[in-house]
Amino acid sequence: MTKEELLNATDLFLLDLDGTVYLSDTHIVGVGETLHKLRTMGKQLVYLTNNSSRTRAEYEEKLTRLGLFGTGDDVYTSALAAASFLEKRYAGAAVYALATDAVRAELIRCGVRLTEEKPEICLLAYDTQITFAKMKRFNEFLAAGAVYVATHPDDVCPTDGVSMPDVGSFIALFERSSGRRPDVICGKPYSVMGECIGQKYRVPAARTCMVGDRMHTDIRFGNRSGMKTLLVLSGETTRQSMRSFPDTPDLVLPDLTQIF
């Protein structure tokens, strides 16, 4: 697929964050102008992230500070997808959430009923404020048979220097300690996120493009969801490493600015 064909076939661009529009705390050179061009063409932009350690408002603040957030843009996280899933499938159920204080507050605003005792559901988000006491309680609730939901499967979160353990690493930990794996994972590349995007933005998957730098999350998610896929080589994936995956993007570019 050519750049022109991709642009003509897309109404909604789902944009991964780190590695796609910025690197850590620095925006990719020229990407602000590219995003502005997309908006002037009438394209809807949604920043889509698996990282469930921050709220929508926190991401909006960072994107605004970097000059990347514009009128009509939105942010959607795996924590919001999890909240939507719980509302649809388990409305009113008591949930124990392993999550940051800010994300817990956001879950409550989304209508999730949080509890510290005898939950029906255990929700594993990316809790960067985690303590052993919280892990112990989560493990006990899993062993007692609570429905087990995780926000996303990423093993590590890219950071300067050594990457930090992410939700996927805690999934492995709790599998060893409780014998349980999640009953449902909400974030990329799983179907819950795609269903939530379709319900919220009302754009057909065929008119949606997932843009990201990871083959096993971004591109696999777009392919599984029936979307267009654009792999950018400004983050994790290289032309050599992409050959290690069974997934095939519709278009590969050095970075998002090259779409024009």
Side-chain angles (χ1 to χ4, degrees):
M1 177 175 285
T2 67
K3 295 185 289 186
E4 293 75 17
E5 289 171 336
L6 182 67
L7 285 168
N8 289 334
T10 301
D11 297 320
L12 170 62
F13 279 91
L14 304 176
L15 304 167
D16 179 56
L17 293 173
D18 207 346
T20 301
V21 297
Y22 58 65
L23 294 169
S24 189
D25 285 320
T26 305
H27 66 80
I28 292 173
V29 176
V31 78
E33 291 81 358
T34 299
L35 297 172
H36 176 70
K37 287 181 182 179
L38 290 171
R39 293 185 197 102
T40 59
M41 293 176 68
K43 311 300 184 183
Q44 186 173 5
L45 307 182
V46 174
Y47 296 95
L48 188 70
T49 180
N50 266 359
N51 193 326
S52 56
S53 68
R54 297 181 180 182
T55 65
R56 175 194 280 129
E58 288 173 318
Y59 278 114
E60 285 184 10
E61 186 280 328
K62 178 173 182 177
L63 289 162
T64 299
R65 174 165 45 85
L66 294 177
L68 302 178
F69 198 78
T71 302
D73 293 358
D74 200 4
V75 173
Y76 201 77
T77 73
S78 63
L80 293 173
S84 179
F85 170 79
L86 293 173
E87 180 184 21
K88 182 177 180 181
R89 293 288 299 275
Y90 298 98
V95 178
Y96 180 76
L98 203 59
T100 63
D101 292 341
V103 169
R104 285 170 58 84
E106 183 171 63
L107 291 170
I108 292 171
R109 289 194 296 272
C110 290
V112 178
R113 184 164 71 90
L114 298 186
T115 185
E116 296 295 310
E117 302 293 340
K118 298 181 180 179
E120 300 162 79
I121 298 164
C122 283
L123 174 62
L124 177 60
Y126 189 17
D127 187 359
T128 55
Q129 300 167 332
I130 198 165
T131 65
F132 184 81
K134 291 164 75 173
M135 288 193 294
K136 180 176 180 291
R137 176 169 287 185
F138 192 89
N139 190 70
E140 290 169 347
F141 293 148
L142 290 183
V147 174
Y148 183 10
V149 179
T151 55
H152 64 288
D154 300 39
D155 289 333
V156 296
C157 179
T159 54
D160 292 334
V162 178
S163 293
M164 298 186 297
D166 205 331
V167 168
S169 295
F170 286 98
I171 288 174
L173 182 153
F174 287 118
E175 182 177 13
R176 293 296 295 270
S177 60
S178 72
R180 298 280 305 278
R181 286 192 60 82
D183 298 302
V184 177
I185 301 178
C186 297
K188 299 175 289 185
Y190 293 97
S191 61
V192 171
M193 183 79 96
E195 292 166 4
C196 291
I197 291 295
Q199 292 164 6
K200 181 173 176 61
Y201 299 103
R202 302 297 180 183
V203 177
R207 299 290 304 177
T208 302
C209 179
M210 180 68 225
V211 184
D213 68 306
R214 283 183 166 184
M215 291 291 292
H216 62 292
T217 54
D218 302 319
I219 303 307
R220 187 168 299 168
F221 166 72
N223 288 344
R224 285 181 174 180
S225 301
M227 302 170 182
K228 307 291 187 300
T229 52
L230 168 56
L231 174 69
V232 290
L233 304 177
S234 48
E236 179 177 300
T237 305
T238 65
R239 287 194 181 274
Q240 182 175 358
S241 67
M242 66 179 285
R243 302 189 186 103
S244 302
F245 297 91
D247 315 277
T248 303
D250 289 302
L251 184 63
V252 181
L253 294 173
D255 59 56
L256 184 56
T257 68
Q258 300 303 306
I259 198 169
F260 292 109

